[in-house]
């Protein structure tokens, strides 16, 4: 089949979003008020307010904002204290940023296959991957559908493993009444322009409950050294009387380090982004309601064709955030290709997310090969599809997409 023949040159009538949420005068006015106030634009009071509001929304003890979801994952993985020779279990069905920092650490990644019903990490496959060297497990709540965290955390904690949740898709989801980001040991969120809420294009948040991680994460994001602290610094004697005017000199008198764990970086989320984040968080329920309405309408069309397609399983006790709307084509690769082509010709954009990570060049260079995660490979190469589902879609666009989907499915019979 000629995949290049599917590339469109005109705009889609129903496209995936350039923005996953809606920005309007509320964000604009909030940012303008901040700029007019002559307040600091970095590490100010609005960052504290945004973090507190997000912490309360998630139900975690701590929430620390950073410049991107990728940065949140980088710092979250730093907190796992992995060493060369350690092993990490990771889902293969996620964006590359979920585990890319592991390439720098000299650890072995053992990819876990996915559950065919949800595209989340398969809890039943985890135990067989655990060895004495396994230290952590990294998962994603695929598309915003929560993974089976009770089973996953029970297995992980029985073996002393830390659990890092990539919650980039899961803002607004809930699992048994609790929020992703409060279910494992560390949660990492993204506020990229495509996500369910955004902090002006980029941004992220790290959530956890451990007191000792709070100071470390704050030091890392604030361009300080990630270190094991010793007694107060004494080599320089008492602080000089000029210390209040010596910017950053106080650390030489306040701290001594018994071990350097790594360098810090500047990952402070700016104040305009935090102000916008507060407004976006207030809008989240409305965004979610719209996503769920669109998803329910698409469900109506797809469930009328059970022999051709199937929907992912969503536990009735949970709430899906529908960052992605996913379904699977039962009839196989050729039928999926025909369906994608038919929708494309009618102006409906289709995407496939995400390519199995164990088959990417960087992880193949570490010894990973086809056949390692057979379910993920089968679904991605033969069945997997994503359709637009975002709050900026109009009712007319939703109905156009549903009509195109109905027509295209009818042609497959």
């Amino acid at each position: 089949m000629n995949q290049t023949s599917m590339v469109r040159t005109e705009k889609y009538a129903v496209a995936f979003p350039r923005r996953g949420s809606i920005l309007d005068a509320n964000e604009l006015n909030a940012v303008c008020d901040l700029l007019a106030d002559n307040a600091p634009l970095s590490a100010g009071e609005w960052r504290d307010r945004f973090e507190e509001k997000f912490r309360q929304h998630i139900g975690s003890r701590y929430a620390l904002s950073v410049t991107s979801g990728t940065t949140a994952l980088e710092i979250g993985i730093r907190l796992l204290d992995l060493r060369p020779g350690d092993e990490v279990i990771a889902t293969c069905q996620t964006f590359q940023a979920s585990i890319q920092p592991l390439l720098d650490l000299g650890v072995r990644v053992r990819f876990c296959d996915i559950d065919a019903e949800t595209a989340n990490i398969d809890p039943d496959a985890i135990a067989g991957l655990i060895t004495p060297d396994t230290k952590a497990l990294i998962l994603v709540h695929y598309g915003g559908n929560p993974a089976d965290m009770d089973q996953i955390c029970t297995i992980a904690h029985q073996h002393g493993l830390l659990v890092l949740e990539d919650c980039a898709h899961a803002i607004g989801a809930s699992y048994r009444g609790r929020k992703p980001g409060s279910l494992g040991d560390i949660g990492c969120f993204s506020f990229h322009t495509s996500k369910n809420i955004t902090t002006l294009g980029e941004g992220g948040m790290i959530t956890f409950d451990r007191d000792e991680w709070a100071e470390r994460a704050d030091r890392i994001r604030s361009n300080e050294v990630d270190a094991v602290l010793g007694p107060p610094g004494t080599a320089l004697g008492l602080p000089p009387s000029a210390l209040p005017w010596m910017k950053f000199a106080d650390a030489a008198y306040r701290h001594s380090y018994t071990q350097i764990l790594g360098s810090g970086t500047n990952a402070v989320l700016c104040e305009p982004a935090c102000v916008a984040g507060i407004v976006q968080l207030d809008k989240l329920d409305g965004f979610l309601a719209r996503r769920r309405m669109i998803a329910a309408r698409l469900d109506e069309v797809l469930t009328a064709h059970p022999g051709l397609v199937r929907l992912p399983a969503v536990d009735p006790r949970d709430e899906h955030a529908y960052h992605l709307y996913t379904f699977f084509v039962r009839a196989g690769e050729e039928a999926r290709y025909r369906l994608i082509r038919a929708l494309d010709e009618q102006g409906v954009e289709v995407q496939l997310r995400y390519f199995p990570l164990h088959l990417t060049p960087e992880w193949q260079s570490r010894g990973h090969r086809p056949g390692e995660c057979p379910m993920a490979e089968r679904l991605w190469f033969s069945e997997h599809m994503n359709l637009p589902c975002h709050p900026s879609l109009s009712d007319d666009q939703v109905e156009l997409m549903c009509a195109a989907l109905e027509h295209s499915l009818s042609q497959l019979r």
Side-chain angles (χ1 to χ4, degrees), residues 106-170:
V107 301
R108 180 185 182 190
V109 174
R110 296 174 68 88
F111 285 103
C112 186
D113 210 347
I114 61 172
D115 181 345
E117 298 300 316
T118 64
N120 280 318
I121 193 169
D122 183 356
D124 293 331
I126 292 172
L129 298 173
I130 297 173
T131 75
D133 295 322
T134 310
K135 297 298 188 293
L137 186 151
I138 298 175
L139 60 91
V140 68
H141 301 288
Y142 180 80
N145 188 12
D148 187 352
M149 292 301 291
D150 285 345
Q151 186 177 353
I152 291 167
C153 288
T154 295
I155 295 168
H157 293 159
Q158 283 175 347
H159 292 86
L161 311 185
L162 294 171
V163 176
L164 187 151
E165 304 172 69
D166 182 341
C167 303
H169 300 176

Side-chain angles (χ1 to χ4, degrees), residues 17 30 111 123 163 171 245 261 273 288 301 329 358 374 409 412:
F111 285 103
V163 176
I171 299 172
W245 294 271
L261 301 175
L288 290 169
V301 176
V329 180
H358 66 290
L409 288 168
L412 288 183

